[in-house]
Amino acid sequence: MAVDLLLGLQWGDEGKGKIVDVLTRNYDIIARFQGGPNAGHTLEFDGIKHVLHTIPSGIFHENAANVVGNGVVIDPVIFRKELQNLEKFNIDISSRLLISRKAHLILPTHRLLDAASEAAKGKAKIGSTLKGIGPAYMDKTGRNGMRVGDLELDGWRDKYRALANKHEAMIQFYDVDLQYNLKELEAEFLLGVQALKKIPIIDSEEYLYQAQKKGKRILAEGAQGSMLDIDFGTYPYVTSSNTTAAGACTGLGIAPNMIREVYGIFKAYATRVGSGPFPTELFDDDGARIARIGNEFGATTGRPRRCGWLDLVALKYAVRINGVTQLMMMKADVLSGMPKIKVCTAYHYKGEVIEHLPFNIEAENVTPVYTEMPGWSQDLTELSEADALPGPLKNYIAFLEQELEVPVRIVSVGPDRTQTIQRQPAESQ
Ligand code: IMP
């Protein structure tokens, strides 16, 4: 009986969707445990690019069941669009997808509240994806939320109305000019609810418990990244859920002692979308080059991502908090052609050199201390063997393994499923 976890170790967009898709053949069940349609998990195969927001990334595999866990917040409107996008692939969704009764719903007014709250913050805005994530989780923890299971009960519309009315009064509180037509938004919401109700709604913690007992292999799929965790991220510039390993326990009902492997996904450099501290952010040609070659635009919002060098201080922190057992390095190909690669190994902070994340990590307090390493010029995108990786990249990986004390098991060299290099444990290399 065991569950493996897969998590992003940076600020999201590490490439979790691709790796879940690659790993799915080893699992019977893929289960999303937190976040909502703020996520954009990109998968590419057979020349087609797919972006999933709520539906787990195992959906393209016939033999995998995909569970949307209780820790996820679901917007029926976006969920319906995702289902529609999948229609053309003739996937029998209702036999592959299951939704937790305890997952909370994002209402149209949650999205409006998100927009009002961000507009009212002005320059201090979080840079939210405006999908209603924060307000939905606020209602959850405030014990006011609506859950998927409510839709099966009589009277859910009254509950909805009362909550939406309250939200409208709250919107008034923000002194911002927000134009909306709630009737239209509600019509879309109802269509979404109808689509949602066609998918099996289950007690997912019970389902997962029984599956574990039967020896089914389960992969818990995280969204966003550890530095966006509500507790351990760069608060308040974070998302509203626990993106770290503990979130899989609360977001699926999995006991901590059932967790086996923790796969930590990171890019060979760093990116961040939205506002907030990012000590290694680049504002020069190197940053622009990474953004261009890495096609660093948000999968959900299309916003350009901020790019920078790998931050080992933040990465070590994430590895420890999550108990990562295997690392997966994404987008190594994007760094090809850079004469020098920099890695941040410490920060200058208030006249000292520190190797941990300070409480106050704002740019004015923190300057990165870099270690410089030689780059490589070879194109990696056609490579399939770890041995064939260029020497400087092997050195870069060896340096990271030594610093992080965890092996790098996968090196991704392109967006396609096939552009994935497995590395063997050191003793058998
Ligand atoms: P929210 O979760 O949409 O409210 O956004 C809060 C912060 O997390 C913003 O900086 C977003 O850009 C960021 N964020 C949310 N979801 C993702 C994601 O899936 N990838 C990267 N950043 C994200």
Side-chain angles (χ1 to χ4, degrees), residues 31-54:
R32 258 288 291 276
F33 61 84
Q34 45 69 234
N38 47 350
H41 291 174
T42 308
L43 294 72
E44 225 169 297
F45 52 88
D46 301 336
I48 305 175
K49 184 170 164 179
H50 308 266
V51 181
L52 298 169
H53 299 287
T54 320

Side-chain angles (χ1 to χ4, degrees), residues 101-105 144-157 159 197 201:
R101 222 163 240 129
K102 293 193 175 76
H104 277 248
L105 293 170
N144 300 309
M146 272 190 71
R147 298 185 288 177
V148 170
D150 288 324
L151 300 173
E152 297 175 310
L153 307 175
D154 291 339
W156 74 263
R157 284 164 200 265
K159 190 167 181 176
K197 287 172 86 171
I201 295 173

